[in-house]
Amino acid sequence: MNDDRNRSWPGQEPDAPRRAQSGQWPGEDPGPAWPGEEAPRRPQRNTPPRGNPRGGGGAPEWPSGDEGGPQWPGEEPPRRPQRPRGQQGMPPRRAVPPTGQRPQQGPPASPPEGFRQPRGGRPVPPPGREPDLITHHAHNGTDDFGRDPYDDGYEDAAFNEFADDVEPQDELDEKGKRILTPAQKKKRRWKIVRRVAYAFVGLFFVVPAIAFVITYFLVDVPTPESIKSLQNQPITYYDAGNQVMGRELPPGGDRQLLKPGEVPDVVKHAVYSAEDATFETNSGFDVTGILRAVWNQVSGGQGGGSTISQQYIKQATQNDAPTLTRKWTELAKSFKMNNQQSKEEIITSYLNIVYFGRGANGIQAAAKAYFNKDAKDLNASEASLLAGLIQGPGRSENQKYALQRWTYVMDQMVANKWLRADERTAAQFPTPIAKNANKEENSGKMTYQLQQRIKDELAAKGYDENRLFSTGAKIYTTIDPAAQAAAEQASQEGMKGQTDENLLNALVAVNPKNGGVIAYYGGPELVKDANGKDQIGQDRANQARNPGSSMKAFDLAAFLKMGKGLGETFDGSNNRVLGGRTVRNAGDSASCGKDCTVAKAMEISANTVFYDMVLNVTKPSRVAEAAKEAGVKVAPDGKSVLYTDDNNISLGGGGTAVTPEDMAAAYASFANGGTYHEQHFVSKLTNKQDEVEFDENNIKTNPAFSDDAAKSQQIAGNLTEALVPVIDHSKLKCPTGHECAGKTGTQQYTAKDDDPAAYKDRNAQTWMVGYTPSVSAAVWVGGDGNKPLHDPKNKPIFGATIAGPTWQNFMNLYLKGKPAEKFDKVAPIGKDVNDVTTTPTKPPETPTTTTPPSTTETPSSTEPTNTDTETPTSRTRPTRPGPGETPTFPLGNNQGGGGGVAAPPGAGPG
């Protein structure tokens, strides 16, 4: 870059700057001095007359306010320098005079031409020193090219009017507007057109492009993980033999996901033909398709402009709002998805999520629903029908519409060279199978009640329904198909010939060796409502009922835990007053005299012995503890109730209620030698990819009745020894080759004041719970709450009437052909029953009833001809005590213990 300060001024010798720095040369004229005391400034120009300023009048004066200052020197007035014609741009910048040196033009004592005196004056330099920063020309204030390079040009406008090369100002019309020539008007119109075009381009191209780029970086593309809830798949249930028991569809319908590469080309080509022929080449959206959709909207036609990518975004986000915002973000997401995923991944995701009708989501489910085959086996004709139904899945059963769409897709496949013309000519419209005809052949093996219990168990482990559907869960259950079939058959046969419409039943069987539920029958899956319409029946196997005398097994377990043995004796006579209440046995056959061993009391189900045992030895809390250790689940883990505020728990009445499932599981702990395995339905859970979530290794297992496994086994063995004779005493038989043990139970109906006299002997709940070393089963037969039940002869029913034979039938059916088995023998606890000699007292023919003074006796009834252990020879109907009176035992449950709700005590045998 040149240094202007070192350049020569016009008319100045080149060495002048150097001499200025070193001082005045000998004989040199110092040049003009500054006039007055302050530095001169450039005068303001007056407007010269039109024409050549050279011919003008007087010299220019100083600006206003400086009238007293010196005038311009020279004889000739200053004139505006003329710019050479044709010169373009600014002239070269003139050199700045050296610091401290003035230009050599002009007469002495005159300011340099073109120098404007500063306002307010300027300090006078000391003698012998020139002023600093002289920035103007030495002559008339212009450079060699005729202009002042320091003039910004804004003042030229005032002189343009008078310049030779400047045209005069345009004329104005009466409104003060400029009058334009035709050429100027045309130019102006084009100028407006250009500006409108620029605005149009900016509005419809530049601004949207910028906005699209911003949106692109702000939106997120739906990933397979983010739309799992929309890709719910059926839950598949397997039995213990890994055979499919059934499938449960999600609320949105059937869906079976495929992986990239599993969709055949014929299916993809059919879908392309129906929805987006340019899918393989477009970038996520088709401009021509969008324009065509706009035209269809304007002209009243049909058809959208969405590509497959856009449709996938819409399905994945579940946003179908008819707004520009939704469409805009949909375009950005589809474009971004095409940059992040392959076309194979996109089409697979789309075909997994799109709906085809018939409750089928995804191409695999649709292939099953319409043709009962896998997607990989579809031909061009079948694929075209399914692809055509994407636009109208709700019209899938409309033959005319389906044919129209099939024809269109087939023709498009030919047009796009995905199908040969001869193949199109030979193709026939495919005939779908009947709707809902593709259900699993063995789906009926699993009832609704069983399905819900399985899902309840998984939900308790943190696998709720949504999670199961989202993973396409495979649930491997413990249900044994043979046991399930035997349970249903035995339950149905047990109810044959019964005339009491209030009779209901349930059966649950558990494998003692692992706690798995192998059979579960909660009653009929469908029942009639009051209007005669079908409805889902209640699950009676998961409802808590008074267990009656089947609860005595837990009385004995608590007794054995205290070190007491089967040889201990109690007063087993009838009508004993215990705890201020009169307790009676179920007739003479259930009484065994003053010295009745515990073993004998269990065999004949003597109420007085077990009531005495719990009241005076174990206490109710120990009975409840033993029941829970065996497997009875109370809230919040289960529905059973173990009521310990009174002694009714000893005989399974009052507020105590247990579900059939819990009874089968608890008795399984006795069968398994005192080892508790938590009852469960699920042996293994996997996802669709067969990745294991959990298996039976997570099942809780521990000694049931003691931390010492040997002691727990001894307790269970002694209890089993006491329950073995009950089978024969109840007129039941074990399966051939198998030892078995068990206990019946009966809960009396609580009569009402206006009931017929015969109702006083009726029962409301009956049980039979028994086991072999390989299976434990509980059968409940009773009413829904407190109902007076009867057999076909209008006689009361007992545990050995219906429940007992049903249990025996199930055991025979299930264990038929299986290896024989026996119980392990253990050492006796406490007093050995074999060392005790008792002489039972023969009960009187007409027993007397011992009651408190305030209790009124009631006449006894005749003995029913029933073989149940608890069949009474005489009964007294208890009276309702008045204020301050002692009630007559037993206490029953007005509500029958239904649902595990503790009810106020009522009357009934234990």
Side-chain angles (χ1 to χ4, degrees), residues 305-577:
S306 295
T307 63
I308 286 177
S309 300
Q310 292 174 254
Q311 293 182 49
Y312 170 74
I313 296 295
K314 181 169 61 177
Q315 294 280 349
T317 58
Q318 289 292 286
N319 184 3
D320 197 19
T323 62
L324 292 176
T325 302
R326 192 270 302 174
K327 197 69 176 178
W328 180 261
T329 55
E330 183 181 287
L331 289 172
K333 288 181 179 181
S334 62
F335 181 73
K336 190 171 185 177
M337 181 173 65
N338 277 265
N339 290 335
Q340 295 178 345
Q341 302 179 25
S342 67
K343 290 292 186 179
E344 181 67 28
E345 291 173 326
I346 296 174
I347 188 61
T348 303
S349 297
Y350 173 72
L351 288 176
N352 279 336
I353 201 173
V354 70
Y355 182 60
F356 289 88
R358 288 195 176 187
N361 290 281
I363 187 65
Q364 176 67 11
K368 288 284 189 180
Y370 287 89
F371 303 109
N372 198 25
K373 60 173 60 176
D374 293 326
K376 62 183 179 62
D377 298 325
L378 294 173
N379 58 39
S381 183
E382 295 165 341
S384 295
L385 174 59
L386 295 180
L389 292 176
I390 293 176
Q391 286 193 10
R395 303 166 68 182
S396 61
E397 308 310 310
N398 186 320
Q399 182 74 13
K400 181 179 179 181
Y401 175 80
L403 178 60
Q404 176 186 346
R405 292 296 298 160
W406 174 82
T407 302
Y408 170 77
V409 176
M410 291 289 286
D411 292 343
Q412 287 297 307
M413 289 187 69
V414 174
N416 287 281
K417 302 186 183 306
W418 289 318
L419 186 69
R420 297 198 311 269
D422 60 319
E423 293 176 328
R424 169 69 181 92
T425 303
Q428 298 291 327
F429 180 79
T431 303
I433 64 175
K435 191 175 182 180
N436 297 326
N438 65 325
K439 290 186 177 295
E440 299 284 347
E441 293 181 0
N442 48 8
S443 61
K445 292 182 180 179
M446 183 178 63
T447 64
Y448 176 81
Q449 293 90 340
L450 173 58
Q451 180 188 88
Q452 293 307 303
R453 286 297 296 124
I454 294 171
K455 291 169 69 175
D456 289 345
E457 179 179 309
L458 290 172
K461 294 180 179 293
Y463 298 90
D464 59 16
E465 186 177 79
N466 290 335
R467 185 171 178 181
L468 296 176
F469 281 132
S470 66
T471 61
K474 295 181 179 180
I475 303 173
Y476 295 85
T477 72
T478 57
I479 298 297
D480 185 332
Q484 183 67 25
E488 294 178 5
Q489 178 180 341
S491 297
Q492 294 167 3
E493 290 178 354
M495 299 295 286
K496 284 184 178 179
Q498 299 298 327
T499 58
D500 191 341
E501 60 181 11
N502 292 319
L503 281 176
L504 304 167
N505 65 343
L507 189 157
V508 180
V510 173
N511 182 353
K513 300 184 184 302
N514 59 23
V517 178
I518 62 174
Y520 190 90
Y521 177 77
E525 184 173 18
L526 294 176
V527 297
K528 299 293 184 180
D529 62 11
N531 298 321
K533 296 182 179 180
D534 287 338
Q535 65 178 7
I536 298 295
Q538 297 184 42
D539 182 5
R540 310 294 178 180
N542 195 35
Q543 293 178 352
R545 313 286 181 178
N546 289 133
S549 291
S550 61
M551 193 72 187
K552 292 172 182 175
F554 306 117
D555 298 345
L556 180 55
F559 190 69
L560 292 169
K561 285 182 64 178
M562 297 178 66
K564 307 293 185 179
L566 300 180
E568 300 289 343
T569 58
F570 290 85
D571 182 358
S573 58
N574 195 15
N575 297 324
R576 290 185 60 198
V577 177

Side-chain angles (χ1 to χ4, degrees), residues 2-219:
N2 295 329
D3 188 356
D4 291 345
R5 292 175 298 179
N6 295 327
R7 295 178 57 191
S8 301
W9 285 69
Q12 180 182 348
E13 57 184 275
D15 291 336
R18 291 196 299 272
R19 294 212 313 266
Q21 296 174 2
S22 59
Q24 182 177 342
W25 286 29
E28 182 180 5
D29 186 1
W34 290 95
E37 297 181 352
E38 58 180 331
R41 64 177 179 175
R42 182 182 179 185
Q44 300 293 324
R45 298 174 182 173
N46 294 326
T47 303
R50 185 177 182 85
N52 192 345
R54 293 179 180 272
E61 299 180 353
W62 288 90
S64 177
D66 295 329
E67 289 78 6
Q71 303 299 316
W72 284 93
E75 299 176 356
E76 210 173 75
R79 65 175 179 173
R80 181 175 180 268
Q82 297 296 316
R83 182 180 301 173
R85 294 182 181 274
Q87 181 178 343
Q88 301 295 327
M90 296 292 290
R93 187 177 180 186
R94 71 178 176 84
V96 179
T99 304
Q101 182 176 348
R102 295 182 300 169
Q104 299 298 317
Q105 290 79 7
S110 64
E113 291 190 11
F115 189 87
R116 180 176 298 172
Q117 181 177 359
R119 296 179 185 273
R122 177 175 181 176
V124 179
R129 181 180 178 185
E130 297 182 3
D132 297 330
L133 299 176
I134 299 178
T135 58
H136 292 276
H137 284 276
H139 46 88
N140 62 355
T142 63
D143 59 18
D144 296 337
F145 296 94
R147 71 178 292 274
D148 182 358
Y150 297 95
D151 191 351
D152 54 14
Y154 289 107
E155 295 181 357
D156 290 351
F159 292 90
N160 287 341
E161 182 180 357
F162 306 101
D164 292 337
D165 58 345
V166 178
E167 296 180 0
Q169 293 184 353
D170 296 326
E171 297 181 7
L172 304 178
D173 59 12
E174 57 187 12
K175 294 183 179 180
K177 296 183 179 180
R178 181 183 177 187
I179 299 177
L180 303 177
T181 64
Q184 290 174 328
K185 291 181 179 179
K186 182 178 181 180
K187 183 178 181 180
R188 184 175 182 179
R189 283 196 298 270
W190 277 111
K191 184 177 181 181
I192 294 174
V193 170
R194 284 197 306 274
R195 290 181 176 177
V196 171
Y198 295 154
F200 180 85
V201 172
L203 181 63
F204 292 97
F205 292 95
V206 178
V207 173
I210 295 174
F212 187 84
V213 171
I214 296 174
T215 307
Y216 179 91
F217 288 102
L218 291 179
V219 298

